[in-house]
Amino acid sequence: MSKWPDDDVILYDGVCIFCSRWVRFVAARDTAKRFRFTPVQSEYGARLARTFEINPEDPDTNAVLHGGEVFMKSDAALTVLSQLRGWNWVRALFAVPKPLRDFVYSLVAHNRYRIFGKYDACFVLDAELRARVLE
């Protein structure tokens, strides 16, 4: 798998309501403003997705680049949460077998539009959050 020059970047589905709420959740708790975000629908996000073998036309996972590594599915979510102040307790969830964690993650991911809905276009972020978006 290729390396990527940026770090602490969260790749997400910008038309997915659940995924966009995830970005707002992380941004609100990331007091150090460590993480930056990129929707898979952007040019930058699509290049990142293809590099890590995620189909930008039909993404089945979010991903996070952290510490020079890429994490996907449940590993991505737990990695991000474990970096947020007050959320380091989620590291204990890494003890749950990865196949089980990823099964639950994939179940939600495959049904996210049906359960949570979908925007017609990429979600527009507020000005403060927009400064943390890579496109």
Side-chain angles (χ1 to χ4, degrees):
M1 197 169 285
S2 302
K3 290 277 187 188
W4 195 259
D6 295 317
D7 203 28
D8 291 328
V9 176
I10 297 172
L11 175 70
Y12 72 100
D13 182 350
V15 297
C16 169
I17 291 174
F18 180 74
C19 304
S20 296
R21 287 182 182 158
W22 163 247
V23 166
R24 289 192 305 249
F25 175 89
V26 171
R29 288 154 184 82
D30 181 18
T31 56
K33 296 184 176 13
R34 171 185 211 154
F35 288 103
R36 293 172 296 160
F37 311 94
T38 186
V40 72
Q41 290 80 9
S42 71
E43 182 180 326
Y44 179 90
R47 276 192 354 255
L48 182 63
R50 284 189 292 275
T51 298
F52 296 115
E53 300 176 1
I54 298 170
N55 180 354
E57 302 300 319
D58 186 22
D60 65 347
T61 182
N62 75 35
V64 65
L65 291 155
H66 175 70
E69 294 182 59
V70 63
F71 299 92
M72 293 188 238
K73 297 193 177 193
S74 65
D75 284 344
L78 293 177
T79 296
V80 170
L81 287 171
S82 70
Q83 299 302 308
L84 301 177
R85 185 177 176 160
W87 285 83
N88 58 352
W89 61 268
V90 301
R91 289 183 180 131
L93 296 176
F94 280 110
V96 175
K98 183 174 172 47
L100 179 59
R101 287 187 284 118
D102 282 351
F103 173 78
V104 172
Y105 181 96
S106 293
L107 189 63
V108 173
H110 290 300
N111 293 294
R112 68 190 185 278
Y113 295 146
R114 188 168 49 82
I115 297 169
F116 302 101
K118 181 178 178 180
Y119 295 116
D120 292 330
C122 205
F123 174 71
V124 178
L125 304 166
D126 62 41
E128 182 180 335
L129 191 51
R130 188 100 184 103
R132 296 171 64 186
V133 172
L134 302 170
E135 295 188 283

